[in-house]
Amino acid sequence: MARIEDVAALAGVSVGTVSNVLNRPQAVTPKTRARVETAIAELGYLPNESARALVSGRSRTVGLVVPDVTNPFFADLARGAEEVADKHDVVVMLYNSAESPERELRYLGHLETQRVQGILATPVNPGGQAVEALIKRGTPVVLLDRGQASRTVCSVAVDHRAGGRLAATHLTEIGHRRIAFVGGPLSVPGVAERLDGARSAVDHSDILLETIETPSLTVAAGREAATTLVRRPARERPTAVFCANDLLALGVLQTVAREGLRVPEDLAIVGYDDIEFAAAAAVPLTSVRQPREQLGRVAAELLFEEINDPSRHGHRQVVFQPDLVVRTSSAG
């Protein structure tokens, strides 16, 4: 493999000049930079990123830790973050915590040892010691899809209580009096907030809101929850369900269709996130829309603000408002 010394010799410059072209191109004249870049291309030289990180103190990467990489919601968040990182010539390294505190801690530690420039994280416990320890040791962190009152870290989230109120209010306004909330684990902050919002919409009324906690936010968990509902006598079943995300709602829809019930006549369904599959479902899903890619973009912008100008950066807590997108699954 070609070495940096080989590039310098071919271009007729010093090793330091080659290093400047790679790390601080603005410090080299365009003519010299073009000569070095030609030599790099001819030799097929690949910089040693690990060595560069040791010299500069940071790599050209940022970390993104999410709880479920199979959920399209987080794929959209990542896409938004990547847009911003690409403008800064930085690569996003994606990690899946699977809502495991142990795995999350291991990944955060790995990212720190890799000297990433910063970390975007949807932590299992937003106020946990793992994130605080990173911040104290100097790694910029932005919490993504997790609200945070702390002024020691930036956060970008959606008002999930407002989203829960939107969903429940919609169902009550079209006449439903027995509603089930399907979602979980309730230890996940966003899930608990959506349930709180739904409860606030039916407080001080005769509307029944029952909770069916699921072990995960997946299609399979939605199918399982729906199975328990459809086996009840019709007079004991809820007439509508509000699911904590669209994957659960799709699972509920599959089971309801398989059992021969009609949506929304026998069971109205409202999801959350408004992923692409919501509109494309066999019965298009009503869903609470989050600005998914915008969440990722804003979080990444805040991260690079702190990375590039830490002395002037002020931590901010950005909260977006959700919207309700009404489709056939509740409106008929």
Side-chain angles (χ1 to χ4, degrees):
M1 292 180 63
R3 302 172 304 160
I4 192 170
E5 292 84 0
D6 301 326
V7 174
L10 182 59
V13 299
S14 68
V15 169
T17 298
V18 177
S19 179
N20 280 337
V21 170
L22 294 170
N23 298 291
R24 293 173 294 279
Q26 70 280 2
V28 184
T29 66
K31 184 177 180 180
T32 301
R33 188 163 67 242
R35 197 161 72 244
V36 171
E37 289 172 347
T38 299
I40 288 172
E42 286 185 15
L43 293 171
Y45 172 70
L46 295 174
N48 185 324
E49 284 295 332
S50 297
R52 286 167 64 176
L54 287 170
V55 172
S56 66
R58 63 184 191 181
S59 67
R60 290 186 178 178
T61 57
V62 295
L64 173 57
V65 183
V66 300
D68 184 4
V69 295
T70 66
N71 187 335
F73 171 76
F74 290 108
D76 290 339
L77 288 187
R79 188 179 300 114
E82 284 178 330
E83 279 183 27
V84 176
D86 188 57
K87 294 176 183 177
H88 291 268
D89 193 26
V90 169
V91 173
V92 177
M93 298 172 64
L94 180 62
Y95 289 76
N96 177 41
S97 72
E99 291 285 6
S100 164
E102 295 77 20
R103 183 182 293 187
E104 176 182 277
L105 183 62
R106 185 167 70 251
Y107 288 159
L108 291 174
H110 175 74
L111 287 166
E112 188 176 23
T113 61
Q114 294 299 306
R115 292 181 168 84
V116 294
Q117 295 189 18
I119 297 173
L120 299 166
T122 305
V124 177
N125 178 9
Q129 295 182 349
V131 170
E132 287 297 327
L134 281 173
I135 296 167
K136 288 179 181 178
R137 289 194 291 268
T139 299
V141 177
V142 174
L143 302 186
L144 184 53
D145 193 40
R146 294 286 190 268
Q148 177 65 274
S150 170
R151 298 296 172 179
T152 63
V153 62
C154 285
S155 65
V156 179
V158 167
D159 186 344
H160 293 306
R161 289 185 177 86
R165 283 194 297 273
L166 280 174
T169 299
H170 167 66
L171 291 171
T172 60
E173 287 180 345
I174 58 178
H176 293 283
R177 293 294 177 266
R178 298 196 309 277
I179 303 170
F181 174 83
V182 175
L186 294 178
S187 57
V188 175
V191 175
E193 290 163 10
R194 290 164 209 187
L195 175 57
D196 285 345
R199 284 173 172 163
S200 72
V202 301
D203 276 349
H204 312 298
S205 72
D206 62 350
I207 297 170
L208 173 65
L209 177 66
E210 68 169 300
T211 302
I212 300 175
E213 185 172 4
T214 59
S216 63
L217 296 164
T218 62
V219 173
R223 286 195 294 260
E224 184 176 345
T227 299
T228 65
L229 288 176
V230 299
R231 288 176 179 172
R232 297 180 189 176
R235 65 181 180 278
E236 297 178 8
R237 280 199 308 263
T239 60
V241 295
F242 165 39
C243 298
N245 77 354
D246 287 338
L247 296 182
L248 288 168
L250 290 169
V252 171
L253 178 60
Q254 288 177 3
T255 296
V256 169
R258 186 186 68 226
E259 296 296 324
L261 298 181
R262 299 166 301 161
V263 176
E265 293 85 355
D266 297 319
L267 187 71
I269 304 172
V270 175
Y272 202 104
D273 292 338
D274 196 33
I275 61 175
E276 186 175 347
F277 298 128
V283 179
L285 282 172
T286 294
S287 186
V288 178
R289 175 183 290 165
Q290 299 195 69
R292 303 176 305 278
E293 291 189 28
Q294 190 176 6
L295 285 168
R297 282 194 296 270
V298 171
E301 286 165 357
L302 289 173
L303 185 66
F304 282 106
E305 278 183 20
E306 184 173 358
I307 290 168
N308 295 325
D309 197 357
S311 62
R312 298 178 59 185
H313 175 76
H315 295 307
R316 303 198 296 279
Q317 286 69 50
V318 180
V319 180
F320 290 94
Q321 292 300 311
D323 299 307
L324 182 71
V325 181
V326 178
R327 299 191 182 97
T328 311
S329 70
S330 68

